[in-house]
Amino acid sequence: MSNGFKASKVTDNVYWVGAVDWNVRDFHGYATHTGTTYNAFLVTADKVTLIDTVKKPFKEEMFARIRSVVDPGAIDYVISNHSEMDHSGSLPETIDRVRPEKVFASVMGAQALRDHFHMNGEIVAVGDGGRIDLGNTSITCYETRMLHWPDSMFSYLAGEKLLFSQDAFGMHLASYERFDDELDESVLEHEAAKYFANILTLYSKQILKLLEKVPELGIDIDMIAPDHGPIWRSNHGRILELYRRWAERRPTNKAVVVYDTMWGSTDLMARAIGDGLAEAGTHVRIMKLRAVHRSDIATELLDAGALVAGSPTLNNTVFPTLADALVYCKGLRFTGLVGAAFGSYGWSGGAVKQLEELLRGMNVEIVSEGLQVKYVPDGEALERCRELGRAIADRLKRLPNP
Ligand code: FEO
């Protein structure tokens, strides 16, 4: 079937044969505002090799792009760098259609693919540093456990000095542009930061170890080709530098005020706390849930030093949006945050105490006891909110890194 999709040339012997998902807006809980890409790559070496596949509904797009370069039946090898289904979903059908000579994955990847697809055929497990001979060139595979899953690995194509990095160094950005130099730097940095914050923050230690290991591998890298978003062609050093900075987790003099409100009282408190923080020289983001997405809060927390959480009491507990956002951010394990809880109540209260527990569960250092206001804050209550903001700003200034 010809549907007009064409491959994009990456180098003389490498083609992008992935798919663009313009319409996905929720990627397992992460808001993908523009959509994303599932990148797959075709290496036209003596042994024609496909690196990764695409999410299952996009398989015909991938096959059409492959067909614009070679007959898919010409593919000798398939390498699966990551078994998550946005990259492996089309693998079983690819194997059925192409009948490749060999399918390669990491040791854990081979098992993960069997567990996902209950395949009968053999998957060749490649050890860390294992080399796959393609005839006129070769690919070396490196385990990158937890970047993003235990099975993940990088593949390095020696002749082209090209590192296929699966999820690492990627971003959820749907576009016609395939290379970093075709996109605005601020867009690249924002989308890469959002991806790191929401997918990789909890693996920061493993990322730092990997960044230390890369120079020791003795490989010369000209380009990095991730499985989402653009290929780092002109400045891959920039994304390596950003990953180091994000993984080192250096909180700055920035506070994120996350809250929800029923009749506007907690909203007034959030703004007064923000005023106190700003007056004391802290950068502030005021983020009302139901107006922003949890994944945008995670992005703001990537370089923040403070998390201030506010909720009215609803049915004796926190507003559900707060539970959603804080449980999500807890899982991402942002470290080194200070903060406090606040909120309004009508009669029994309870939300602020529970918010404090949620913050403590995230290892947030509580700067000041939770601030509660009955029904609607008056001038004196709003001044206490500003004081809380100033106290958090003062604590931020005394942190090692703000
Ligand atoms: Fe893009 Fe972890 O899959």
Side-chain angles (χ1 to χ4, degrees):
M1 184 178 77
S2 172
N3 48 22
F5 292 114
K6 297 274 192 300
S8 300
K9 197 167 191 172
V10 178
T11 69
D12 284 346
N13 301 303
V14 177
Y15 294 84
W16 176 86
V17 291
V20 184
D21 186 349
W22 292 99
N23 298 318
V24 64
R25 288 293 176 270
D26 183 314
F27 196 97
H28 56 54
Y30 172 147
T32 45
H33 298 290
T34 67
T36 191
T37 66
Y38 312 112
N39 298 340
F41 299 95
L42 188 71
V43 181
T44 53
D46 288 349
K47 290 289 186 188
V48 177
T49 301
L50 177 67
I51 298 181
D52 285 324
T53 67
V54 297
K55 197 173 168 183
K56 194 173 178 180
F58 295 86
K59 64 179 185 299
E60 295 306 335
E61 183 172 337
M62 178 188 75
F63 273 108
R65 294 191 199 277
I66 292 171
R67 216 175 285 119
S68 73
V69 183
V70 296
D71 184 314
I75 293 172
D76 298 292
Y77 294 163
V78 178
I79 299 175
S80 170
N81 277 336
H82 182 20
S83 66
E84 194 165 7
M85 282 191 272
D86 46 334
H87 311 298
S88 68
S90 301
L91 183 62
E93 189 155 342
T94 301
I95 294 170
D96 283 350
R97 282 202 208 177
V98 166
R99 304 272 169 203
E101 192 181 320
K102 287 180 182 164
V103 179
F104 299 92
S106 69
V107 175
M108 296 188 84
Q111 187 58 49
L113 291 172
R114 283 183 214 113
D115 291 343
H116 273 78
F117 302 111
H118 313 292
M119 297 162 154
N120 296 322
E122 191 199 358
I123 297 165
V124 181
V126 196
D128 187 30
R131 188 169 162 276
I132 300 169
D133 187 355
L134 306 187
N136 57 338
T137 186
S138 66
I139 282 177
T140 309
C141 300
Y142 300 99
E143 283 184 355
T144 60
R145 290 188 186 186
M146 307 321 297
L147 202 76
H148 163 224
W149 276 8
D151 58 87
S152 293
M153 68 177 189
F154 287 174
S155 294
Y156 175 71
L157 180 61
E160 315 287 322
K161 300 181 182 175
L162 179 47
L163 185 71
F164 299 99
S165 63
Q166 38 91 35
D167 280 346
F169 315 122
M171 63 189 75
H172 286 312
L173 177 69
S175 69
Y176 275 98
E177 292 78 15
R178 297 282 149 258
F179 298 97
D180 59 339
D181 47 87
E182 298 170 331
L183 288 152
D184 188 272
E185 265 185 43
S186 62
V187 172
L188 291 172
E189 184 165 338
H190 176 76
E191 297 298 342
K194 182 169 183 178
Y195 191 90
F196 188 102
N198 284 275
I199 306 275
L200 298 173
T201 302
L202 69 163
Y203 304 123
S204 291
K205 280 185 187 159
Q206 289 93 331
I207 290 166
L208 284 175
K209 272 191 197 157
L210 180 71
L211 292 174
E212 277 163 24
K213 184 177 145 183
V214 168
E216 293 163 14
L217 299 176
I219 57 175
D220 199 3
I221 300 170
D222 270 356
M223 274 191 256
I224 295 179
D227 272 359
H228 298 289
I231 297 157
W232 299 92
R233 171 172 71 179
S234 72
N235 192 6
H236 69 272
R238 178 69 178 142
I239 191 65
L240 293 173
E241 181 190 310
L242 288 169
Y243 263 50
R244 177 171 296 283
R245 194 218 295 168
W246 295 329
E248 282 176 348
R249 175 75 192 140
R250 299 178 200 164
T252 61
N253 186 19
K254 170 180 159 185
V256 182
V257 181
V258 177
Y259 72 102
D260 216 324
T261 194
M262 288 171 67
W263 294 104
S265 293
T266 308
D267 180 74
L268 286 170
M269 295 177 77
R271 286 158 176 269
I273 291 166
D275 288 351
L277 282 156
E279 280 163 21
T282 293
H283 301 286
V284 187
R285 298 282 184 278
I286 302 285
M287 305 186 81
K288 181 189 152 190
L289 290 159
R290 290 186 293 160
V292 297
H293 193 268
R294 67 173 90 81
S295 52
D296 293 317
I297 289 166
T299 309
E300 291 293 346
L301 286 176
L302 187 59
D303 64 350
L307 169 61
V308 193
S311 173
T313 295
L314 175 67
N315 303 330
N316 300 315
T317 188
V318 293
F319 209 77
T321 50
L322 266 298
D324 173 289
L326 295 186
V327 167
Y328 180 78
C329 291
K330 179 185 177 184
L332 294 170
R333 294 188 217 155
F334 295 100
T335 57
L337 290 165
V338 302
F342 66 96
S344 68
Y345 70 103
W347 46 100
S348 65
V352 170
K353 193 166 180 300
Q354 290 173 38
L355 271 184
E356 271 187 358
E357 282 164 18
L358 284 167
L359 291 175
R360 285 201 175 94
M362 296 172 68
N363 292 319
V364 175
E365 177 195 311
I366 303 296
V367 173
S368 178
E369 194 183 333
L371 185 52
Q372 295 191 82
V373 168
K374 191 167 186 183
Y375 285 123
V376 177
D378 59 11
E380 185 271 328
L382 290 174
E383 180 50 29
R384 281 193 286 134
C385 291
R386 282 188 284 274
E387 270 171 29
L388 176 61
R390 289 191 285 268
I392 295 165
D394 185 53
R395 181 69 190 95
L396 267 179
K397 283 180 194 150
R398 290 185 284 110
L399 286 179
N401 259 328

